[in-house]
Amino acid sequence: MEHRKLRFALLGNIYQARKSASIQKVLSTIANYGAELYVDMEYYYFLKDHQRLDVKATKVFSDNNFDADFVISMGGDGTFLKAACRVGKKNIPILGVNMGRLGFLADISPDDIEHCLRALYNDDYAVESRALIQVEADGAPLGECSYALNDVAILKRDTASMISIRASVNGQYLNTYQADGLVISTPTGSTAYSLSNGGPIIVPGTKVFSMTAVAPHSLNVRPIVLADSSVIELDVESRSHNFLVAIDGRSEKCKEGTRIVLRRAPYDIKVVKRSDHRYFNTLREKMMWGADTR
């Protein structure tokens, strides 16, 4: 049966050296469909030189110089976040193939890739729009990729004393957090760093952000949920006179006095999900709700 021509851009984790069989299955399935395959250069040479795989790539690309109908992220949720950063405003849906443990973003196993590709060709899939947080430092974008799909964390550096974070929302003073840090999370990232600090689980698609303190000095400090139309301004004081801003784990060092402004990004990231995907099923499995460990 002849299929319409689709273009796939492949990005992956180069540190998963024992996954060659799973990767080969994905490559073979794509080849069987006669699809055009564009492969990230670093990942391409990893597959060719380290995995000794026969990669029939239509094109090898570097940086963010690619276009495709779909991006396939080979790895875990961390790899997916990097892929989202590189996709940026391209509006290309991302399919996350999980090469390790069950993920929230990368939730397709290599064994399911043939079924998933068939679903893509049959238009039997869903695309979810996920909001991002845009980060500015003193009015300028922070770092090479100033957008977070999961979260933005304001953190103390190394063994420094806790920092003081003055937070305002839409120009109104909210609170001064005395803590090791502050996590501002999207619904997508609510099950990541925010959750480990006691933040709420937020169902994707809910139009909110959450703010959760990291090891706050006062036990009275609790997470707060804000409309994602809010503009959050943060001013940080630190004994070491500097602090870190982690954007989906990508750390940027900032000097004390730098004003950090967070708002919803002007574009979303598109995530490919199976038509039978149920978020609560993934949530129960990942959180081991109802599991009897006795």
Side-chain angles (χ1 to χ4, degrees), residues 79-291:
T79 306
F80 193 103
L81 293 175
K82 292 176 183 177
C85 180
R86 297 182 67 177
V87 168
K89 299 178 181 179
K90 296 178 186 293
N91 204 36
I92 303 173
I94 308 174
L95 176 68
V97 178
N98 197 293
M99 308 302 290
R101 295 170 293 180
L102 175 70
F104 281 97
L105 289 167
D107 60 355
I108 303 296
S109 75
D111 291 338
D112 291 335
I113 190 64
E114 186 172 359
H115 170 75
C116 288
L117 285 183
R118 187 184 308 117
L120 293 184
Y121 278 95
N122 293 333
D123 293 324
D124 182 24
Y125 63 94
V127 175
E128 297 179 359
S129 291
R130 301 293 182 90
L132 298 96
I133 299 173
Q134 176 180 317
V135 187
E136 292 181 350
D138 289 338
L142 181 61
E144 293 183 5
C145 182
S146 57
Y147 298 92
L149 177 59
N150 258 7
D151 50 46
V152 178
I154 313 299
L155 302 167
K156 70 175 188 177
R157 291 199 66 212
D158 304 322
T159 58
S161 302
M162 63 181 178
I163 55 180
S164 176
I165 308 168
R166 187 183 192 279
S168 297
V169 179
N170 297 331
Q172 299 182 47
Y173 172 64
L174 172 64
N175 184 36
T176 298
Y177 294 89
Q178 305 285 343
D180 284 355
L182 183 67
V183 182
I184 298 88
S185 170
T186 66
T188 299
S190 67
T191 48
Y193 192 25
S194 173
L195 182 63
S196 70
N197 286 284
I201 295 175
I202 305 172
V203 177
T206 309
K207 298 183 181 299
V208 296
F209 293 145
S210 67
M211 292 176 60
T212 304
V214 179
H217 179 65
S218 172
L219 294 179
N220 291 330
V221 173
R222 289 289 180 264
I224 186 170
V225 175
L226 306 166
D228 66 5
S229 58
S230 303
V231 177
I232 302 167
E233 297 180 0
L234 305 171
D235 295 285
V236 182
E237 293 182 4
S238 168
R239 288 184 184 178
S240 62
H241 305 298
N242 51 57
F243 60 97
L244 294 177
V245 179
I247 306 171
D248 278 348
R250 306 179 299 274
S251 294
E252 301 286 343
K253 179 181 174 182
C254 292
K255 295 181 179 179
E256 183 181 57
T258 303
R259 169 161 287 193
I260 304 298
V261 177
L262 310 177
R263 56 169 59 88
R264 179 167 178 166
Y267 64 90
D268 292 349
I269 288 295
K270 309 297 184 184
V271 181
V272 177
K273 294 293 182 182
R274 294 164 297 185
S275 58
D276 61 350
H277 170 263
R278 299 293 181 268
Y279 174 78
F280 295 134
N281 291 346
T282 303
L283 186 63
R284 280 196 310 275
E285 186 172 352
K286 186 73 172 177
M287 301 299 293
M288 298 181 67
W289 287 350

